[in-house]
Amino acid sequence: KILSFKEALIHLDVSESFLYKLTSKRKITFSKPNGGKIYFKKIDLDRWMLQNNKNSIDVLEDNIMNQLKQNVR
């Protein structure tokens, strides 16, 4: 799905200036056909929002336990 700049603002729940900063610094993927309006693929916006995941303590503990079990073998 393709989103306009205004739709992307709503989807990301960010300010206009912040989204412009992301595009000007090329921190987020966008299209600008014929040098006009800016458009985004929803999947690219979702990917940007989900970057830098922080695992819960439960997940971290499970990872540690699994590593310890593997090291014992």
Side-chain angles (χ1 to χ4, degrees):
K1 181 175 178 181
I2 305 298
L3 300 178
S4 68
F5 188 84
K6 288 183 180 181
E7 291 170 323
L9 290 174
I10 294 165
H11 184 68
L12 294 174
D13 192 24
V14 297
S15 69
E16 254 185 64
S17 62
F18 184 72
L19 188 51
Y20 276 123
K21 282 180 190 174
L22 290 176
T23 57
S24 69
K25 293 180 179 181
R26 299 195 186 255
K27 298 275 186 181
I28 197 163
T29 304
F30 65 97
S31 296
K32 196 171 181 181
N34 299 321
K37 294 181 179 181
I38 297 173
Y39 296 94
F40 303 89
K41 288 182 184 176
K42 184 180 178 296
I43 193 167
D44 291 336
L45 299 178
D46 293 344
R47 192 176 300 124
W48 178 82
M49 283 192 294
L50 295 174
Q51 69 184 354
N52 297 325
N53 280 341
K54 305 298 180 207
N55 289 328
S56 69
I57 289 175
D58 290 339
V59 170
L60 293 172
E61 287 175 348
D62 285 345
N63 290 343
I64 290 170
M65 292 306 291
N66 289 334
Q67 286 294 322
L68 289 172
K69 287 177 186 175
Q70 287 179 355
N71 289 339
V72 170
R73 293 179 195 171

